[in-house]
């Protein structure tokens, strides 16, 4: 009976993940989040260094890939991987918390959402250092610099505390149907 | 037809085989003097029945080979709890992370192509013909892509009583563990997988006899709930026995263990109250806490500093948003953690309780019967009065060979639960047969005479636990938990070794339970052994030889020596003496077996 053509207009460039309901908070508090708590285990910081070194060696071993291109590809691959892992995939790969984390990226699940924890600081600083190393070893080539800094911003901006539980430019934007359902008062 | 007896596999050398005899040879039954044909047939039947019966008895509970193989399960007076978790070197840790990364990438790649070229296989993950998906595709990712690979290690069908040995039905899969086919034959394996702490999983003996009598007298079921006409005199007897055994004034018996925890919190707690739960508490506790509607806070596993921090925060800050005080605070801990093998630090918890005045709930599902000089659980082990604990919960499924659970507390708490707890008012009451099993095992355990069979079980379990833990530590494995704990987690780390270990041990005739992420943290995949009073030294020596062999083959000896190669207090002294440097223990199996008994009894 209602007009099917009506549609909510996108209100802003930035959309917010709704605040957790009391039920979500209880579900999140009643069980440990095994999807994200591994970042505080032994070796969770070292593995990043190992991966970057492995990527560097792999790209350097490919024929006709210059040293500068190898560093750029290392940077891009690591940035893409960490973006997908921490900022694109939402939810958990198992049903332990009653769906309480379905809207949250792994970065937002980290340390129960607390900011400025050691793991968050490390994961924020590491891409910056990798970017600086890539820039240095590409001898400050202008075009590679632009590509590298674009990749850095793609993974750095979602990590900022100011952007917690926010989606910029529709990246990992919630579906319209979910938004409509949430606007109904409970 | 006599049942086949457990025989050690031929992979053991012949010279070592005579140490591994799991049963005594049955004496030849002499024929009666009158040698008529009918008398001879009758004698043969009697002999066959006797042989079968004795084999069954030994398969379920091995006789003790040396009366000195017993020790008292007790925390040394004034000694601080020593539970150290060793870690392997970074090589193994990084290899584990890389393995998971590769598995996850492969899983996503297969999903990507599978959804496009094998759409039928993914129907249950998409909207299909008007039906909603059964699973969100990412929620199901772990089960679909990682657990599926090792499904043949889980849910193996078994037959008979899982006592000292367990009979497995053999099966195979032709479609990568999607379905299994039974071959029709069975394997007999040494059972280190069941929580049969005191060895009451027996189909013969005084307990089984009492169960048969109870079935004759009361029937199989009460066919009613406790609140209507399902409460017999036998229920009252078992409740009194439970309260006496635990050391509380009153007790309540539930027909199922999980539902004991799942329903009790909704009666005790309410919105506006708080439950502080250990990080590694059982799912039933989390489920019950969630149902109660109370606020939930979690503290790090067995970390008393973190518990105190949480307590100070919640007391000072109050409820979320309004900051009003909580109406009550309940701290929930477990006596013995079933996947870690360690004890709660009860002396420190009681100290905090005296300071911060919270209510204390202890889940003794595993610790009741398994630790303590008389099997009384964690309070018995530490010599702490049960008056310091407000509610003691436990199950009858582990040490008593039965089913169900109990709550013991003061009479006013019990009486409230009796009329308001949905797990009691609405649930079917416990079957008389199960009650008879509980009652007879209780009476056997509570027998305080020097020749008590119950005391023998308790002390045999304490010796077996100490012996196995000491042996595995000296061989070089990383073992978690307290040195007196009957739950023995051996760390595997790399997920590829989970099913490899299970298969290798099954080849050697030993049934084990392997545990992987997310049932335990990402790094610490493990195999969880559980020894019982039904094993004797020959069983344990055979087991240690098999572990030594498989540990070498799979490279599982990660121990850095930080957890030591001796029992608790000796470890601490050695650590101080060595100024923090540890020599990794890598004993030979012969040396382990030679020194095992003496050190297990004296340290």
């Amino acid at each position: 009976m209602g007009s099917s053509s009506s549609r909510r207009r996108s209100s802003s460039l930035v959309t917010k993940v709704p605040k957790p309901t009391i039920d979500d908070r209880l579900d999140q508090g009643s069980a440990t989040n095994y999807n994200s708590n591994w970042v505080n285990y032994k070796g969770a910081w070292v593995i990043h260094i190992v991966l970057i070194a492995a990527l560097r060696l792999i790209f350097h071993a490919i024929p006709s890939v210059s040293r500068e291109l190898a560093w750029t590809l290392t940077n891009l691959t690591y940035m893409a991987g960490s973006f997908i892992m921490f900022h694109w995939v939402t939810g958990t790969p198992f049903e332990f918390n009653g769906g309480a984390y379905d809207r949250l990226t792994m970065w937002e699940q980290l340390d129960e959402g607390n900011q400025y924890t050691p793991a968050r600081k490390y994961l924020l600083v590491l891409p910056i250092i990798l970017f600086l190393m890539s820039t240095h070893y590409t001898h400050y080539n202008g075009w590679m610099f632009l590509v590298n800094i674009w990749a850095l911003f793609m993974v750095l901006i979602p990590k900022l505390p100011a952007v917690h539980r926010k989606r910029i430019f529709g990246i990992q934007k919630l579906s319209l149907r979910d938004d409509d359902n949430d606007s109904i008062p409970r | 037809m006599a049942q086949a007896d457990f025989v050690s596999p031929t992979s053991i050398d012949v010279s070592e085989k005579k140490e591994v005899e799991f049963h005594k040879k049955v004496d030849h039954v002499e024929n009666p003097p009158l040698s008529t044909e009918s008398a001879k047939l009758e004698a043969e039947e009697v002999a066959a029945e006797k042989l079968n019966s004795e084999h069954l008895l030994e398969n379920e509970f091995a006789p003790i080979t040396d009366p000195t193989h017993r020790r008292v399960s007790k925390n040394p007076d004034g000694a601080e709890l020593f539970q150290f978790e060793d870690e392997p070197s970074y090589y193994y840790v990084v290899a584990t992370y890389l393995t998971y990364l590769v598995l996850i990438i492969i899983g996503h790649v297969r999903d990507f192509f599978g959804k496009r070229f094998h759409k039928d296989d993914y129907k249950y993950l998409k909207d299909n013909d008007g039906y909603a998906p059964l699973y969100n595709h990412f929620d199901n990712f772990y089960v679909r892509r990682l657990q599926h690979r090792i499904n043949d290690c889980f849910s193996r069908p078994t037959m008979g009583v899982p006592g000292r040995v367990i009979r497995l039905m053999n099966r195979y899969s032709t479609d990568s563990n999607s379905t299994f086919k039974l071959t029709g034959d069975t394997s007999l394996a040494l059972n280190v997988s069941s929580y049969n702490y005191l060895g009451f999983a027996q189909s013969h003996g005084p307990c089984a006899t009492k169960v048969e009598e109870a079935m004759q007298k009361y029937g199989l079921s009460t066919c009613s709930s406790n609140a209507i006409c399902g409460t017999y005199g036998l229920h009252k007897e078992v409740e009194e026995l439970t309260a006496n055994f635990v050391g509380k004034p009153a007790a309540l018996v539930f027909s199922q263990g999980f539902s004991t925890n799942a329903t009790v919190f909704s009666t005790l707690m309410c919105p506006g109250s708080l439950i502080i739960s250990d990080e590694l508490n059982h799912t039933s506790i989390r489920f019950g806490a969630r149902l109660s509607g109370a606020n939930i806070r979690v503290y790090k596993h067995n970390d008393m500093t973190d518990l105190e921090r949480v307590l100070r925060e919640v007391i000072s800050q109050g409820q979320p948003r309004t900051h009003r005080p909580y109406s009550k605070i309940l701290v929930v801990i477990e006596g013995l953690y079933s996947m870690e093998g360690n004890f709660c630090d009860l002396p420190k918890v009681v100290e905090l309780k005296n300071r911060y005045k919270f209510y204390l709930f202890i889940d003794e599902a595993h610790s009741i019967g398994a630790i303590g000089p008389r099997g009384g659980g964690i309070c018995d082990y530490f010599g702490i009065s049960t008056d310091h604990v407000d509610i003691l919960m436990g199950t009858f499924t582990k040490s008593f060979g039965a089913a169900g659970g109990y709550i013991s507390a003061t009479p006013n708490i019990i009486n409230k639960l009796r009329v308001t707890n949905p797990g009691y008012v609405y649930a079917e009451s416990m079957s008389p047969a199960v009650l008879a099993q509980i009652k007879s095992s209780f009476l056997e355990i509570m027998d305080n005479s020097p020749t008590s069979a119950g005391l023998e079980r308790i002390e045999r379990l304490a010796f077996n636990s100490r012996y196995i833990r000491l042996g595995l530590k000296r061989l070089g494995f990383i073992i978690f938990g307290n040195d007196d704990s009957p739950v023995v987690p051996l760390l595997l780390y790399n997920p590829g070794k989970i099913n490899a270990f299970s298969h290798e041990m099954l080849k050697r005739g030993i049934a084990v339970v392997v545990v992987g992420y997310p049932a335990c943290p990402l790094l610490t995949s493990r195999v969880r052994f559980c020894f019982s009073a039904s094993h004797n030294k020959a069983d344990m020596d055979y087991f240690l030889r098999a572990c030594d062999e498989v540990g070498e083959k799979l490279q599982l000896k990660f121990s850095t020596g930080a957890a030591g190669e001796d029992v608790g207090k000796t470890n601490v002294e050695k650590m101080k003496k060595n100024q923090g440097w540890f020599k990794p223990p890598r004993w030979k199996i012969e040396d382990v077996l030679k020194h095992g008994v003496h050190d297990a009894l004296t340290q």
Side-chain angles (χ1 to χ4, degrees), chain B residues 505-519:
Chain B
M505 292 301 268
L506 197 56
K507 279 183 204 169
R508 291 160 175 78
I510 299 175
V512 301
V513 167
V514 288
V515 189
Y517 174 76

Side-chain angles (χ1 to χ4, degrees), chain B residues 361-397:
Chain B
F361 179 109
I362 302 188
D363 178 335
E364 297 228 66
H366 285 267
S367 47
I368 191 69
I371 55 177
R374 59 177 195 96
I378 197 71
C379 293
D380 196 14
Y381 179 80
F382 284 108
I384 288 175
S385 168
T386 55
D387 295 336
H388 295 291
V389 184
D390 297 287
I391 297 173
L392 278 167
M393 177 270 176
T395 57
F396 300 118
T397 52

Side-chain angles (χ1 to χ4, degrees), chain B residues 250-449:
Chain B
L252 204 60
V253 167
F254 297 81
S255 58
Q256 208 232 345
F258 188 99
S259 67
T260 309
N261 275 336
T263 57
V264 70
F265 296 113
S266 53
T267 305
L268 298 173
M269 309 302 280
C270 57
S273 60
L274 176 68
I275 293 172
I276 299 179
S277 182
D278 189 288
E279 183 185 18
L280 297 185
N281 274 347
H282 192 256
T283 303
S284 57
I285 293 175
R286 301 177 186 174
F287 188 82
R290 182 66 189 85
L291 280 185
S292 68
N295 280 280
I296 301 163
R297 290 292 297 271
V298 172
Y299 68 94
K300 292 195 180 74
H301 174 55
N302 247 0
D303 190 339
M304 295 300 108
T305 306
D306 197 47
L307 173 57
E308 185 166 12
R309 180 190 64 79
V310 171
L311 283 164
R312 291 167 76 93
E313 182 188 334
V314 299
I315 291 172
S316 60
Q317 298 299 314
Q319 299 184 42
R321 287 195 303 263
T322 66
H323 296 288
R324 294 191 191 116
Y326 286 104
S327 57
K328 59 188 131 173
I329 296 175
L330 180 73
V331 171
V332 183
I333 60 179
E334 288 185 19
L336 167 55
Y337 289 90
S338 64
M339 281 302 148
E340 302 292 312
N342 50 15
F343 302 152
C344 65
D345 199 344
L346 188 58
K348 292 229 170 79
V349 173
V350 169
E351 188 183 312
L352 288 178
K353 176 179 156 69
N354 292 332
R355 187 183 309 166
Y356 293 103
K357 304 293 190 288
F358 51 80
Y359 293 107
L360 181 55
F361 179 109
I362 302 188
D363 178 335
E364 297 228 66
H366 285 267
S367 47
I368 191 69
I371 55 177
R374 59 177 195 96
I378 197 71
C379 293
D380 196 14
Y381 179 80
F382 284 108
I384 288 175
S385 168
T386 55
D387 295 336
H388 295 291
V389 184
D390 297 287
I391 297 173
L392 278 167
M393 177 270 176
T395 57
F396 300 118
T397 52
K398 277 88 178 169
S399 300
F400 307 101
Y406 67 85
I407 298 279
S408 64
T410 54
N412 54 328
I413 295 177
I414 295 299
N415 289 336
K416 180 186 180 184
L417 291 175
R418 208 182 289 275
V419 295
T420 57
N421 187 280
Y424 191 81
V425 174
Y426 296 125
E428 174 188 8
S429 63
M430 188 175 270
S431 163
V434 181
L435 287 168
Q437 168 74 24
I438 296 168
K439 181 183 173 184
S440 50
S441 56
F442 262 140
L443 292 177
E444 189 166 327
I445 293 167
M446 294 166 83
D447 177 12
N448 282 327
S449 65

Side-chain angles (χ1 to χ4, degrees), chain A residues 31-42:
Chain A
T32 307
N33 186 338
Y34 282 121
N35 183 47
S36 63
N37 70 345
W38 60 270
V39 297
N40 294 301
Y41 293 163
K42 174 173 181 173

Side-chain angles (χ1 to χ4, degrees), chain A residues 23 25-27 29-32 34-35 38 41-44 46-47 50-51 89-96 102, chain B residues 87-88 90 93-94 97-98 101 138-142 279-280 286 290 293-296 298 321 517-518 521-523:
Chain A
D23 284 337
R25 230 190 333 269
L26 286 178
D27 283 328
S30 63
T32 307
Y34 282 121
N35 183 47
W38 60 270
Y41 293 163
K42 174 173 181 173
V46 172
I47 189 64
V50 171
L51 282 175
V89 177
T90 56
T92 56
F94 29 76
E95 272 283 358
F96 269 15
D102 280 353
Chain B
E87 288 176 325
Y90 274 95
V93 171
V94 169
Y97 280 119
L98 287 174
L101 185 64
F138 192 57
D139 284 352
N140 185 245
F141 179 82
Y142 174 78
E279 183 185 18
L280 297 185
R286 301 177 186 174
R290 182 66 189 85
N295 280 280
I296 301 163
V298 172
R321 287 195 303 263
Y517 174 76
L522 183 82
L523 278 186

Side-chain angles (χ1 to χ4, degrees), chain B residues 100-319:
Chain B
Y100 275 111
L101 185 64
V102 171
L103 284 172
I104 289 168
I105 291 173
I106 288 174
H108 282 297
V109 168
R110 289 183 66 187
D111 277 352
F112 179 86
F113 287 104
K115 285 173 182 173
R116 285 155 181 83
F117 298 109
H118 290 282
K119 289 181 177 174
D120 286 354
D121 292 342
Y122 293 84
K123 272 185 180 176
Y124 66 106
L125 299 176
K126 294 177 172 178
D127 294 343
N128 179 42
D129 197 24
Y131 293 99
L134 286 177
Y135 298 99
N136 176 287
H137 74 95
F138 192 57
D139 284 352
N140 185 245
F141 179 82
Y142 174 78
V143 172
R144 192 172 69 250
R145 287 295 165 210
L146 276 75
Q147 182 185 307
H148 197 79
R149 294 171 171 267
I150 54 177
N151 249 354
D152 55 337
C153 299
F154 304 127
S155 305
R156 289 196 178 113
T158 66
M159 294 171 63
V161 175
R164 172 185 173 224
V165 298
I166 189 169
R167 185 173 288 277
L168 305 170
M169 301 169 78
N170 297 342
R171 62 180 187 178
Y172 65 97
S173 174
T174 55
D175 49 7
S176 303
N177 295 342
S178 290
T179 59
F180 294 97
K181 292 179 167 60
L182 296 173
T183 64
D185 57 345
T186 61
S187 302
L188 210 59
L190 186 66
N191 182 17
V192 297
S193 48
S194 297
Y195 291 126
N196 182 30
Y197 295 125
L198 295 184
F200 279 112
Q202 291 173 287
S203 60
H204 290 69
C207 291
T209 305
K210 288 289 198 298
V211 169
E212 284 188 48
E213 291 170 6
M215 284 194 283
Q216 296 291 336
K217 183 177 177 184
Y218 297 102
L220 283 173
S221 171
T222 61
C223 303
S224 178
S225 73
N226 288 288
I228 302 179
C229 53
T231 301
Y232 292 178
L234 198 52
H235 288 85
K236 293 297 181 184
E237 286 182 46
V238 170
E239 283 175 2
E240 283 181 24
L241 277 174
T242 305
N244 287 335
F245 184 69
V246 163
K248 279 296 203 182
L252 204 60
V253 167
F254 297 81
S255 58
Q256 208 232 345
F258 188 99
S259 67
T260 309
N261 275 336
T263 57
V264 70
F265 296 113
S266 53
T267 305
L268 298 173
M269 309 302 280
C270 57
S273 60
L274 176 68
I275 293 172
I276 299 179
S277 182
D278 189 288
E279 183 185 18
L280 297 185
N281 274 347
H282 192 256
T283 303
S284 57
I285 293 175
R286 301 177 186 174
F287 188 82
R290 182 66 189 85
L291 280 185
S292 68
N295 280 280
I296 301 163
R297 290 292 297 271
V298 172
Y299 68 94
K300 292 195 180 74
H301 174 55
N302 247 0
D303 190 339
M304 295 300 108
T305 306
D306 197 47
L307 173 57
E308 185 166 12
R309 180 190 64 79
V310 171
L311 283 164
R312 291 167 76 93
E313 182 188 334
V314 299
I315 291 172
S316 60
Q317 298 299 314
Q319 299 184 42

Side-chain angles (χ1 to χ4, degrees), chain A residues 67-68 71 133-142 144-145:
Chain A
R67 191 155 164 263
E68 292 78 12
W71 273 103
M133 289 176 69
S134 299
T135 303
H136 173 76
Y137 285 111
T138 56
H139 305 101
Y140 306 99
N141 181 290
M144 288 188 176
F145 172 82

